Structures are given as structure tokens and as C-alpha cells.
Amino acid sequence: MKIKTLIKSSTGLSLGLLLSGSVLADSVMRVASWLPPTHPQNAIVLTTWGKWIDEATQGRVKMKIEYGMGHPKTMFDLVEDNVVDASWSVHGYIPGRFKLTESVELPNLNANAEAASVAFWRVSNKYYKQANEHEGLVVAALFTHGPGQIHLAEPIDSLADMKNRKIRLGGGIQTQLGERMGVTAVGAPAPKVYEMMQQGVVDGVFIPTGEQKTLRLNEVTKQLVLLPGGMYVMSFSIFMNPDFLDGLSKEDKAAILAVSGEKLSALAGRAWDGGDAQGLVTAKNAGVSILEVKKGDLIDKEFQAMIIGMDEDYLKRVSNRDVDAAAALKELRETARNYVPESAQAKTAQN
């Protein structure tokens, strides 16, 4: 079998993992990632996708995960410039380019990550695709993390206590929430949050509960504030270089696309949900104070008053995208809230 390895110049330290334990393949698909190898996005999502690709192409295409290749906002450029073949990143890190993707991040989605991710994929393909916000890339999946919550070095009793606290924000809707809450925003990639909280550079962070474990925030957090449904979710995409795909046989290109899309989006969301459950256990075991806000509690009332008008502001921002954004937002929320996982459908059918 002819061996054709795709080797490109790498920036930063490469801790590549070639799936299936073999270097023999017609093509190696190099995927850049920026969170630790133990994070569910790497340990579960990308690894599983790599196995699906291996099986679908009968071993002709194997995935190699590369770490330490820069800030997550550079992942789009790395793929577009052919440095790597695929990657994943946060839409909010590229303000201005991605606007429609903010729809899934808005407060009051009230769905877990798997449901939000499937709804995001379906609505994007129905409404947003024509806006071509991912121009130059082939989108393999669209997904969200779990509900974003408040992790603090010092506890609060109300959202009024958040005013002027230095909070790490990750862009997108988080930025608007921070402005409305009156915090002092500090920008940094997620892997830097532990160090920043440990050194007192920030007083807290808006991020999913799972990072209590994966980023070890349980060691630097005194209080975890859990709002009902969370404050927001963050939108992500997994994307590929079109030249890489076009360089494959038609059969292998079709095989990779067949194990991507909604199936991969659901997997990514499901992995984040599992990580959030583990993160909550980790926080409790570490003695982190958990403030579980209920509907109608003071913090919930403060939050609901704070976010008034955010939907309308979003619709104004995307008015030049030439899509029916209001209908898309309505359908997105309905789809997410009514989503039933395949596992639950199968269980119902058995009963």
C-alpha cells in the first residue's frame, strides 16, 4: 500500500496522537486542538471521530491530534492556510465574522449541550448556511458547551455583588452579559483561567461546570453559582480544509462527511454534558460552596431583569445577514427544548 503522509510545518509543541496505533495510511488527517488531552473534547469527541473516520475509510485515513499550536482564535487560520487539515474553535473569539452563531448562545435556551448542539446544526443548515460565515472551511460539526455558570474566588449573595469584579470572559454573548452585570472584563483563553485565578489576576470566570475538573478550577474556586438553565452556552465548530478533502478519493471524502454533521455535533454536546456532571461532583468533593439558584430566587430575578432586550439586540446585529433570524431563533429554541436523544428514543421503544 502506497504510504502518503501529509506533513506540514508545525507551530509549537506537537503531542500528536495517531489513532488506531498504526502509521500506515493513505492519508493522515492532522487536527489541531488547544485544550488539554484529558479534556472531553479531545479524549472523547476528537478521538471517537477519528475512530469513525478510520472505520468509514477502512483505514485509509487516520487522524493525528496536535496540541500546543497556539491560541484557539488562530485555529481558523491554521486550517484555512493548510498548516493543519482540521481543528475546532470558539466563534466568539472572532468577533464580526460570526454573528448568526450567537443565536444559540443567548440566555434562556434552557437545554443541555447535546440538545442545543443538534438544534444548532439543524437550524444553521436550514437558515444560516447561505450567509457563509464559515467561508473557506468545510463545517464538520456545530455544537455548544453546557450551561455557563459563575465560578468565583470569593462568594456573592446577589448579582449586585459582581459589580467591578475582574471576570475572565470568552467573547460572544458572555461579553454582553459581563457589560450588563457591570464586571471588569478580562480576556484570555480557557487554559489560562486556573493560573489567573490562582494569582488573583481575575476574581472569577463564566464557564461550564465541567471545568471544575478539566481545568482544576475546584482548587481555586470558593463558590460555584448555578443559575437555572445557566446564563448562556458558547458556540463552537469543528471544521476542515476543503483542499484536504478534495485531495482524497470521492469515496473517502464522502465517508468522512457521513460520520460528521449532526452525528458529530450530538457527540460533542453529549461529551460536554458528561463533563459537567463530573465537574459538579469534583466541586462538591473539593468543598466548593455550591449556590443552586432556583426559579424565583433573588439572583434569578436579577438575571432575568438584566437580560431584557438581548434577543432584540441580537436580531438588530444580524439584520444585514439576509436570513430570517427571528424565525431561526424561535425554531432553534423549540428544537432544543423538544429534543429527545436517540438513546432515550430506543429505550422508550423497548418499553
Side-chain angles (χ1 to χ4, degrees):
M1 177 172 62
K2 180 180 178 181
I3 301 175
K4 182 176 72 174
T5 57
L6 303 180
I7 303 177
K8 305 182 181 76
S9 61
S10 173
T11 59
L13 176 65
S14 171
L15 298 176
L17 172 63
L18 188 60
L19 299 175
S20 301
S22 171
V23 296
L24 296 179
D26 290 331
S27 297
V28 175
M29 180 178 178
R30 296 181 63 230
V31 181
S33 191
W34 42 274
L35 281 174
T38 54
H39 193 281
Q41 181 63 22
N42 298 312
I44 297 175
V45 181
L46 294 183
T47 302
T48 301
W49 189 37
K51 291 177 180 177
W52 289 349
I53 289 172
D54 187 14
E55 293 169 359
T57 63
Q58 298 180 335
R60 291 183 296 274
V61 181
K62 293 185 182 296
M63 179 185 293
K64 185 179 182 182
I65 305 175
E66 303 277 353
Y67 298 97
M69 298 189 71
H71 191 286
K73 70 181 179 182
T74 67
M75 297 299 111
F76 296 100
D77 292 335
L78 289 178
V79 176
E80 290 174 333
D81 294 342
N82 282 299
V83 177
V84 292
D85 306 310
S87 186
W88 67 286
S89 195
V90 182
H91 295 118
Y93 284 153
I94 314 293
R97 176 175 180 177
F98 300 106
K99 292 184 178 181
L100 293 167
T101 55
E102 288 184 356
S103 60
V104 75
E105 299 185 6
L106 289 165
N108 288 338
L109 180 65
N110 296 326
N112 65 17
E114 181 179 354
S117 299
V118 170
F120 188 24
W121 175 264
R122 292 178 184 175
V123 168
S124 293
N125 278 277
K126 181 176 178 180
Y127 292 93
Y128 303 158
K129 200 170 185 178
Q130 65 193 45
N132 206 19
E133 291 188 334
H134 291 85
E135 183 178 6
L137 302 165
V138 176
V139 180
L142 294 165
F143 63 100
T144 77
H145 63 35
Q149 305 287 9
I150 306 175
H151 307 240
L152 295 168
E154 295 297 334
I156 61 170
D157 295 314
S158 76
L159 291 186
D161 297 336
M162 292 292 293
K163 188 172 179 61
N164 296 325
R165 292 204 188 194
K166 299 187 296 293
I167 303 297
R168 179 269 176 184
L169 301 176
I173 293 299
Q174 282 186 65
T175 300
Q176 296 167 47
L177 290 172
E179 290 173 353
R180 287 168 177 251
M181 205 176 291
V183 307
T184 300
V186 179
K192 294 290 186 181
V193 172
Y194 177 92
E195 178 183 351
M196 294 171 75
M197 287 189 68
Q198 185 183 48
Q199 296 177 355
V201 176
V202 296
D203 303 310
V205 59
F206 297 169
I207 212 163
T209 308
E211 309 312 337
Q212 283 286 311
K213 178 179 180 179
T214 57
L215 297 182
R216 296 165 42 220
L217 296 188
N218 66 92
E219 299 175 14
V220 291
T221 301
K222 286 188 178 179
Q223 186 187 49
L224 175 60
V225 182
L226 303 177
L227 281 83
M231 296 190 297
Y232 67 97
V233 297
M234 181 167 272
S235 68
F236 303 79
S237 55
I238 300 174
F239 41 87
M240 299 178 285
N241 181 283
D243 292 336
F244 169 76
L245 285 176
D246 290 342
L248 303 174
S249 67
K250 290 183 178 180
E251 179 185 10
D252 287 344
K253 178 179 178 180
I256 291 174
L257 294 176
V259 295
S260 303
E262 184 172 317
K263 178 180 180 180
L264 181 57
S265 301
L267 171 68
R270 192 159 57 246
W272 284 89
D273 288 331
D276 284 349
Q278 293 177 15
L280 184 57
V281 171
T282 298
K284 289 179 177 178
N285 290 342
V288 175
S289 174
I290 311 294
L291 176 56
E292 295 191 50
V293 180
K294 303 290 192 300
K295 284 285 187 183
D297 286 353
L298 171 62
I299 289 180
D300 176 56
K301 289 179 178 178
E302 288 178 306
F303 183 72
Q304 293 302 323
M306 186 188 81
I307 64 175
I308 292 173
M310 288 189 69
D311 285 2
E312 291 74 15
D313 288 347
Y314 160 75
L315 293 175
K316 289 179 183 176
R317 285 197 303 277
V318 299
S319 59
N320 64 345
R321 286 298 201 249
D322 196 28
V323 302
D324 191 344
L329 179 60
K330 182 175 184 292
E331 188 169 326
L332 173 70
R333 288 172 170 167
E334 290 175 350
T335 302
R337 292 167 186 169
N338 295 321
Y339 172 72
V340 179
E342 287 186 11
S343 56
Q345 294 178 31
K347 187 175 181 180
T348 300
Q350 291 175 356
N351 294 336

